[in-house]
């Protein structure tokens, strides 16, 4: 059977159809950039102390509070205790020798930065402080579940269906989440939003890679969806700066999702997926419509009878694939296991560094903007790297450099805080580029029949790392260096493992599980498939055209 890229080559590389798909599917990733990271502001903990009912003032640091509350040292500064008060109420000259008790009458929060957060809404402080990082963990558990289910549903019912269904889930439940009247209700809806967020991103990524040809596909994977995601991340601090109430902020972040409804009439189903299901007529109709949009007259027969018969025979034998097929052969099993390990460690480091920005000194809005800017640098650098270097080297080099930068932080003097931030942000640029690159590399490694499922399972595994990341960042409140040491070590190990994956640069996307390549060992030199065929034909003394005719017999 002829290769799909060869069959559809008459469409060209960069016509109006390809440009439209590139732009629309890239723009769909903008909300994904701020949905998960919004918790940096939604759940930020403002300064607070116990409420004292005998004092009329309900404002933070009001008259009398400095005499009626014990003090504590936080990061070298002496402040009013956040969780304790003197047991003897009404004594404005209470001394340090008096006994203390918990805040029995609630808390008073500073409104200097926020009008409200979910912390001030439901008093997620002191004994309930654990609920704040757990809220982020709930979101990532939803992401984990969505990664697994979306892959199965997408490979069975189509890319377009799951793409728009999960976009609707993310948007609608974010609006409902803003009306939550309890922390438990907020977490339930946040879990569902997490399911929609990752499923939408993965489906858009797969759909774009399968609709676009090789050259624009690389740009789409490394620049299109990645920069759109980074743009969404960068506008988050702008929204949060002007909207200081968490409910209004959540509504404002949810509203743009409704602007994507008209995309249904412009984005088609993936012809590759339709062909893998034996739905040749529908795939041909989409390809002809794309040719018309590009102003190209398609051939009378796109898929000849022999191609169609071979495709139908292969799809009848195994029409429904499950996640077990990702372990069915040695090659795809090794590829799946290595991807799972790397996605877990890369996700832990990426989100660990992102969430750790709250432990940095300075303005949180500026810190968030700097973190978003580092992602733009990471994605842009990766775009240049994939054009001139091999896939294995690009992934391994970026991960190892990230790990080394984080380990250097251990030897930076405490007074050089600016250098620590610079190294952390440089490491974040490297891990961000690697994270975005993994989507492209994973797409090229897995065959069409289980591609979205493979991306879903590995992305699901990465959420194991992301669910741990809030607690890795939490370690930074006790030891600022330890999170960097932990993330640096596992990132270097992951980079070394990445060198074992097969090379996919300048190779056609595999269609069937049997076409998955074996691991590439350090002492082994891998020859691209096309070059290998040419060398074999040269040794046999026959032309390439004759070789293809023999293979078709």
């Amino acid at each position: 059977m002829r290769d799909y890229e060869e069959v559809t080559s008459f469409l060209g590389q960069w016509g109006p159809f390809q440009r439209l798909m590139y732009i629309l599917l890239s723009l769909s990733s903008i909300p994904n950039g701020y949905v998960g990271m919004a918790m940096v502001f939604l759940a930020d903990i403002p300064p607070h102390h116990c409420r004292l009912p005998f004092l009329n003032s309900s404002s933070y640091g009001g008259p009398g509070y400095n005499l009626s509350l014990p003090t504590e040292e936080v990061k070298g500064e002496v402040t009013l205790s956040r969780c304790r008060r003197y047991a003897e109420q009404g004594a404005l000259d209470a001394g340090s020798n008096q006994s203390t008790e918990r805040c029995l009458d609630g808390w008073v929060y500073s409104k200097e930065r926020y009008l409200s957060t979910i912390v001030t809404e439901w008093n997620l402080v002191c004994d309930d402080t654990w609920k704040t990082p757990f809220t982020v963990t709930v979101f990532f558990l939803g992401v984990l579940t969505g990664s697994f289910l979306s892959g199965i549903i997408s490979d069975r019912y189509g890319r377009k269906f799951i793409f728009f269904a999960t976009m609707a889930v993310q948007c609608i439940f974010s609006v409902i989440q803003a009306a939550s009247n309890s922390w438990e209700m907020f977490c339930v809806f946040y879990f569902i939003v997490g399911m929609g967020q990752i499923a939408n991103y993965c489906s858009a990524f797969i759909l774009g890679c399968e609709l676009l040809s090789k050259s624009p596909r690389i740009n789409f994977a490394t620049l299109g969806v990645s920069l759109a995601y980074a743009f969404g991340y960068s506008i988050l601090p702008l929204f949060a700066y002007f909207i200081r109430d968490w409910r209004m902020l959540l509504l404002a972040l949810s509203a743009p999702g409704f602007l994507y409804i008209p995309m249904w009439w412009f984005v088609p189903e993936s012809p590759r997926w339709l062909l893998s299901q034996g739905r040749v007529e529908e795939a041909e109709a989409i390809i002809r419509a794309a040719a018309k949009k590009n102003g190209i007259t398609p051939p009378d027969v796109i898929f000849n009878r022999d191609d169609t018969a071979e495709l139908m025979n292969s799809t009848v034998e195994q029409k429904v694939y499950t996640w077990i097929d990702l372990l069915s052969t040695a090659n795809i099993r090794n590829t799946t296991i290595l991807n799972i390990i790397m996605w877990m460690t890369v996700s832990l480091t990426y989100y660990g560094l992102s969430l750790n920005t709250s432990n940095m000194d300075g303005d949180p809005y500026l810190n968030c903007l700097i973190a978003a800017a580092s992602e733009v640098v990471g994605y842009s650098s990766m775009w240049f790297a994939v054009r001139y270097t091999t896939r294995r080297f690009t992934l391994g080099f970026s991960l190892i450099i990230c790990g080394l930068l984080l380990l250097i932080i251990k030897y930076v003097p405490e007074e050089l805080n600016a250098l620590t931030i610079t190294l952390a942000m440089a490491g974040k640029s490297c891990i961000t580029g690697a994270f975005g690159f993994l989507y492209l590399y994973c797409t090229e490694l897995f065959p069409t029949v289980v591609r979205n499922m493979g991306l879903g399972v590995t992305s699901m595994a990465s959420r194991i790392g992301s669910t741990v990341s809030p607690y890795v960042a939490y370690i930074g409140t006790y030891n600022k260096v330890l999170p960097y040491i932990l993330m640096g070590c596992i990132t270097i190990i992951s980079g070394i493992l990445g060198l074992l994956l097969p090379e996919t640069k300048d190779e056609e996307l595999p269609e069937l599980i049997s076409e998955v390549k074996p691991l590439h060992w350090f002492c082994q030199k891998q020859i691209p498939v096309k070059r290998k065929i040419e060398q074999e034909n040269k040794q046999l003394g026959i032309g390439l055209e004759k070789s293809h005719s023999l293979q078709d017999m």
Side-chain angles (χ1 to χ4, degrees), residues 58-119:
S58 61
S59 61
Y60 177 79
Y65 277 100
N66 58 334
L67 297 176
S68 303
L69 293 174
T71 57
E72 61 183 6
E73 185 175 340
V74 179
K75 295 182 179 180
E77 295 184 5
V78 177
T79 63
L80 296 177
S81 176
R82 296 186 170 192
C83 301
R84 307 293 296 181
R85 70 181 188 183
Y86 289 121
E88 183 179 347
Q89 297 296 295
L92 297 182
D93 58 346
S96 58
N97 59 339
Q98 288 196 15
S99 61
T100 61
E101 61 185 2
R102 295 185 298 110
C103 300
L104 303 179
D105 297 293
W107 290 263
V108 176
Y109 298 92
S110 170
K111 295 186 181 297
E112 179 181 0
R113 180 168 292 157
Y114 306 106
L115 294 178
S116 69
T117 68
I118 65 170
V119 173

Side-chain angles (χ1 to χ4, degrees), residues 256-274:
F258 293 101
L259 299 177
Y260 294 101
I261 295 176
M263 285 178 56
W264 175 268
W265 290 275
F266 294 95
V267 177
E269 181 57 88
S270 165
R272 286 180 181 269
W273 178 81
L274 291 171

Side-chain angles (χ1 to χ4, degrees), residues 299-353:
D300 295 335
V301 178
I302 298 179
F303 298 101
N304 59 46
R305 183 176 302 176
D306 294 336
D307 291 341
T308 305
E310 183 178 347
L311 180 63
M312 291 298 292
N313 289 335
S314 64
T315 54
V316 167
E317 292 177 3
Q318 187 178 8
K319 188 173 182 179
V320 177
Y321 291 87
T322 66
W323 63 272
I324 299 178
D325 293 295
L326 296 173
L327 306 173
S328 58
T329 66
N331 289 345
I332 196 171
R333 180 166 57 250
N334 293 334
T335 298
T336 301
I337 292 173
L338 277 183
N339 270 280
I340 287 175
I341 295 173
M342 287 198 306
W343 279 71
M344 287 174 58
T345 56
V346 170
S347 178
L348 186 150
T349 305
Y350 171 78
Y351 285 105
L353 289 174

Side-chain angles (χ1 to χ4, degrees), residues 305-521:
R305 183 176 302 176
D306 294 336
D307 291 341
T308 305
E310 183 178 347
L311 180 63
M312 291 298 292
N313 289 335
S314 64
T315 54
V316 167
E317 292 177 3
Q318 187 178 8
K319 188 173 182 179
V320 177
Y321 291 87
T322 66
W323 63 272
I324 299 178
D325 293 295
L326 296 173
L327 306 173
S328 58
T329 66
N331 289 345
I332 196 171
R333 180 166 57 250
N334 293 334
T335 298
T336 301
I337 292 173
L338 277 183
N339 270 280
I340 287 175
I341 295 173
M342 287 198 306
W343 279 71
M344 287 174 58
T345 56
V346 170
S347 178
L348 186 150
T349 305
Y350 171 78
Y351 285 105
L353 289 174
S354 299
L355 298 174
N356 196 52
T357 55
S358 60
N359 293 326
M360 296 180 180
D361 297 329
D363 185 86
Y365 303 102
L366 181 59
N367 290 341
C368 184
L369 189 60
I370 293 174
S374 70
E375 299 212 353
V376 175
V377 174
Y379 292 133
S380 301
S381 301
M382 192 59 62
W383 178 73
F384 284 103
V386 297
R387 293 169 64 90
Y388 303 108
T389 61
T390 61
R391 301 289 190 258
R392 296 167 57 252
F393 176 81
T394 301
L395 180 61
F397 180 79
S398 60
L399 292 178
I400 292 173
I401 291 297
C402 172
L404 291 176
L405 288 171
L406 297 182
L407 290 179
I408 292 174
I409 295 177
K410 172 180 172 57
Y411 303 100
V412 176
E414 187 174 348
E415 59 272 14
L416 297 179
N417 185 61
L419 180 58
T420 299
I421 294 177
T422 301
L423 291 173
M425 290 299 101
K428 188 175 186 301
S429 293
C430 293
I431 199 66
T432 296
F435 207 168
F437 176 74
L438 271 178
Y439 282 92
L440 170 64
Y441 201 8
C442 193
T443 299
E444 295 178 341
L445 288 171
F446 286 102
T448 300
V449 291
V450 292
R451 180 168 296 122
N452 205 84
M453 194 182 304
L455 185 60
V457 168
T458 53
S459 180
M460 177 193 68
S462 76
R463 304 312 158 186
I464 298 176
S466 59
T467 54
V468 177
S469 62
Y471 301 99
V472 173
Y474 185 70
I475 296 175
T477 60
Y478 299 98
N479 189 320
K480 291 185 177 181
V481 178
L482 188 56
Y484 296 120
I485 296 176
L486 175 62
M487 292 185 288
C489 290
I490 64 173
T491 303
I492 291 176
I493 294 173
S494 182
I496 296 174
L497 290 177
L499 297 174
L500 297 176
L501 289 171
E503 184 55 54
T504 59
K505 184 178 175 63
D506 297 327
E507 297 287 342
E508 304 294 345
L509 292 179
E511 302 291 339
L512 304 174
I513 292 178
S514 59
E515 298 175 7
V516 177
K517 301 178 180 65
L519 295 184
H520 186 134
W521 300 101

Side-chain angles (χ1 to χ4, degrees), residues 20-257:
L20 181 63
M21 295 302 101
Y22 186 103
I23 294 173
L24 291 181
L25 292 173
S26 295
L27 291 177
S28 71
S29 298
I30 292 178
N32 297 323
Y34 53 70
V35 168
M37 295 303 176
M39 284 298 289
V40 173
F41 301 103
L42 296 176
D44 198 7
I45 305 175
H48 57 276
H49 57 62
C50 295
R51 181 186 300 276
L52 301 179
F54 64 90
L55 292 177
N56 294 329
S57 175
S58 61
S59 61
Y60 177 79
Y65 277 100
N66 58 334
L67 297 176
S68 303
L69 293 174
T71 57
E72 61 183 6
E73 185 175 340
V74 179
K75 295 182 179 180
E77 295 184 5
V78 177
T79 63
L80 296 177
S81 176
R82 296 186 170 192
C83 301
R84 307 293 296 181
R85 70 181 188 183
Y86 289 121
E88 183 179 347
Q89 297 296 295
L92 297 182
D93 58 346
S96 58
N97 59 339
Q98 288 196 15
S99 61
T100 61
E101 61 185 2
R102 295 185 298 110
C103 300
L104 303 179
D105 297 293
W107 290 263
V108 176
Y109 298 92
S110 170
K111 295 186 181 297
E112 179 181 0
R113 180 168 292 157
Y114 306 106
L115 294 178
S116 69
T117 68
I118 65 170
V119 173
T120 64
E121 183 82 13
W122 297 302
N123 293 322
L124 307 183
V125 293
C126 299
D127 292 342
D128 289 332
T129 304
W130 63 272
K131 292 183 178 180
T132 301
F134 184 75
T135 305
V136 183
T137 298
V138 168
F139 171 80
F140 285 124
L141 288 175
V143 171
L144 186 151
T145 306
S147 300
F148 178 72
L149 295 179
S150 67
I152 297 176
I153 297 174
S154 178
D155 283 331
R156 184 169 300 182
Y157 298 106
R159 300 356 183 177
K160 181 177 179 178
F161 168 77
I162 194 66
F163 172 64
F164 285 98
T166 53
M167 183 182 294
V169 167
Q170 176 179 304
C171 182
I172 293 172
F173 280 91
S174 291
V175 174
I176 300 176
Q177 186 184 15
S180 301
N181 57 16
S182 68
W183 173 75
E184 291 77 11
M185 182 178 179
F186 182 92
C187 288
V188 169
F189 290 132
Y190 208 28
F191 177 87
I192 300 175
V193 170
M195 291 177 59
Q197 189 258 5
I198 188 60
N200 173 254
Y201 185 86
C202 290
S203 299
F205 190 91
I206 291 294
L207 193 54
C209 287
E210 294 186 350
L211 285 172
L212 299 173
S213 52
K214 184 183 300 182
S215 179
R217 180 195 309 137
I218 295 175
N219 291 334
F220 172 78
T222 55
L223 279 184
V225 291
S226 300
L227 287 183
Y229 181 94
F231 176 75
Y233 190 3
S234 64
I235 64 176
L236 170 62
L238 300 180
F239 271 88
Y241 182 81
F242 292 102
I243 305 175
R244 304 298 180 98
D245 177 78
W246 76 269
R247 293 184 189 273
M248 295 305 299
L249 175 60
L250 198 54
L251 287 175
L253 294 175
S254 306

